[in-house]
Amino acid sequence: MVKIDVEGCRSFVKSEDYKEYLGKALEAFDVLESGKGAGNDFLGWKTLPSDTPESLIKDCEAVRDLWQQKGVDLVVVIGIGGSYLGARCAIEALSHSFSRELGTGNTPEVVFAGNSLSEEYLAELMDLAAERNTACIVISKSGTTTEPAVAFRVVKAAIEERYKDASERIVAITDAHKGALKTLATQEGYKTFVVPDNVGGRFSVLTPVGLLPIVVAGFDVREMLAGAKEMEKVLAERSEKNPAVQYAAMRNLLYSKYGKAVEVLVSYNPKFQYLGEWWKQLYGESEGKDNKGIFPASVNFTTDLHSMGQFIQDGSRIMFETVVNIEKSNRSVVVGSDPQNLDQLNYLAGQHVDHCNHMAQLGTKLAHIDGGVPQLEVSIENISAYNLGSLFYFFEFSCGVSAYVLGVNPFNQPGVEAYKKNMFALLGKPGFEAETKAIHERLGK
Ligand code: PA5
């Protein structure tokens, strides 16, 4: 279960201003709950934790079991943006950091593709796939996104060349009716899962988009959904104590009245690097529009205290931090005592490394507050599927409330189209001839 602490912001804001923004956040909460706000045809994510049927999880498990019977030991998950970040975040957070090196990881290993157009990455991935017993999950809600489509064409060809049962080694997650991927999947007889019409990509981690890769990777999505469900209940309460209302109120206040235009999501555990990536996409695409929005950034401490720490402490005073606090470590390592004490660390003898991490966290909090960086804290007890589900739901719900406080539609992403149009024109996609001509004139070709 997620808890929030806004005390680290108090000295930066007037209490009457916070009160005013709590009021605005409650109004935004009402808009979200009424289902009458902008983008209200994309609210399906709100009830996923309580609505997801057991049969869907069983369907995911059937894919996992089939591939296990076939001895599959590598699953390539193809997707970009909301079609991969949630799954990647969960799998990285829940996996042993060195399972690959130890050879003790869950089987199959899940790797990701189609989230860039790097030829080297794809070639190297194909080197790996050639050595392994491979299957593939291809995810695209629209079914037309270029990056996953290019990767899928390559992976599909390799699977078809190697395996007679190729069509059983490919699962597609896409729209129920439309898009090139849907047509292709139907034609090829692939097993398909549906991305619901009313759930946008960045809110889709609790649909098959996230659930299937997470199940195939061997993690417990029932627990994840249970954590999300608890948050669904907590966040439904119309109250100034609602953590999503507090988060939305404080971040909008810092942005609108105190010029804090950058929010840095901080974690103190490398397993949460992709939580930062998932969160940045969620908030960046939901809020950054109409020339408004808080720029979402992320760092991993204490690692980045030795790179970005200087700027955060001392550079332009444009930011606030949201720290994802993990109350306790799942593993235990204690600093030993050394009779010679040559490294002068005996003052830490008997202490858990996690204690040192928390003292670094507290020390950093105080230093950054002294340096003019307000700090919000979002806490979970430990890293687990349950708590990850709570975090996913907390940030999604807060994002809806927050974007409505800001006055933007949280559920569209008109700005993403601009680069696509230019890329299609430059690549000579049929239908883009006029744009190609305009671009060539612009580039003086
Ligand atoms: O949040 C979003 O809607 C986007 O980030 C999409 O997830 C991303 O662009 C991928 O789109 P699609 O699933 O249609 O390939």
Side-chain angles (χ1 to χ4, degrees), residues 202-436:
R202 57 191 173 276
F203 289 84
S204 69
V205 60
L206 300 176
T207 72
V209 170
L211 299 180
L212 180 64
I214 296 167
V215 166
V216 165
F219 298 107
D220 188 346
V221 294
R222 286 186 185 81
E223 274 293 291
M224 189 170 285
L225 285 161
K229 193 169 170 179
E230 187 190 12
M231 282 321 284
E232 185 185 339
K233 217 164 115 200
V234 169
L235 300 185
E237 195 187 323
R238 191 189 192 282
S239 155
E240 289 186 355
K241 292 200 176 112
N242 181 319
V245 168
Q246 292 189 4
Y247 181 50
M250 190 55 92
R251 61 196 296 281
N252 275 286
L253 169 59
L254 290 166
Y255 169 67
S256 302
K257 285 212 171 167
Y258 297 94
K260 303 294 184 188
V262 176
E263 178 175 5
V264 186
L265 192 84
V266 181
S267 102
Y268 282 79
N269 191 318
K271 283 175 187 272
F272 268 4
Q273 189 194 333
Y274 268 87
L275 178 71
E277 299 305 318
W278 172 83
W279 173 88
K280 281 192 284 194
Q281 195 229 353
L282 179 63
Y283 280 78
E285 272 193 6
S286 300
E287 293 191 323
K289 52 196 70 154
D290 307 339
N291 294 332
K292 294 195 266 194
I294 301 168
F295 184 84
S298 66
V299 291
N300 250 297
F301 289 165
T302 62
T303 314
D304 290 332
L305 284 171
H306 299 259
S307 59
M308 299 303 288
Q310 169 63 35
F311 194 110
I312 296 172
Q313 183 70 45
D314 226 9
S316 308
R317 300 298 71 196
I318 52 172
M319 66 188 76
F320 63 98
E321 290 176 314
T322 296
V323 175
V324 180
N325 174 45
I326 303 165
E327 286 166 3
K328 61 176 198 247
S329 169
N330 287 327
R331 299 292 302 273
S332 163
V333 177
V334 173
V335 181
S337 173
D338 184 322
Q340 286 190 291
N341 196 27
L342 293 176
D343 55 9
Q344 299 178 4
L345 266 189
N346 270 355
Y347 77 100
L348 291 180
Q351 295 288 5
H352 284 267
V353 174
D354 196 45
H355 170 74
C356 304
N357 203 20
H358 275 103
M359 291 308 101
Q361 187 175 326
L362 182 55
T364 305
K365 175 179 181 174
L366 298 174
H368 286 184
I369 288 174
D370 289 347
V373 181
Q375 192 165 114
L376 283 144
E377 203 169 271
V378 170
S379 289
I380 54 168
E381 194 188 0
N382 66 340
I383 298 185
S384 66
Y386 186 94
N387 289 328
L388 212 49
S390 315
L391 267 182
F392 283 144
Y393 194 85
F394 167 76
F395 279 126
E396 287 179 353
F397 192 94
S398 303
C399 185
V401 176
S402 196
Y404 282 149
V405 174
L406 188 65
V408 299
N409 175 352
F411 306 115
N412 65 2
Q413 53 283 330
V416 181
E417 296 311 311
Y419 100 90
K420 289 187 190 168
K421 199 170 68 164
N422 290 341
M423 178 178 70
F424 291 149
L426 287 162
L427 287 171
K429 184 172 177 173
F432 285 80
E433 292 76 10
E435 286 85 354
T436 307

Side-chain angles (χ1 to χ4, degrees), residues 80-83 139-143 145 148 200-202 281 285 413:
I80 195 166
S83 287
I139 310 170
S140 177
K141 184 177 181 195
S142 62
T145 308
R202 57 191 173 276
Q281 195 229 353
E285 272 193 6
Q413 53 283 330

Side-chain angles (χ1 to χ4, degrees), residues 140-171:
S140 177
K141 184 177 181 195
S142 62
T144 56
T145 308
T146 311
E147 292 89 338
V150 168
F152 182 53
R153 193 175 266 216
V154 173
V155 173
K156 175 179 185 284
I159 289 181
E160 284 171 351
E161 198 182 300
R162 273 183 70 195
Y163 304 106
K164 286 205 179 69
D165 59 350
S167 66
E168 291 181 6
R169 289 170 177 264
I170 296 172
V171 170

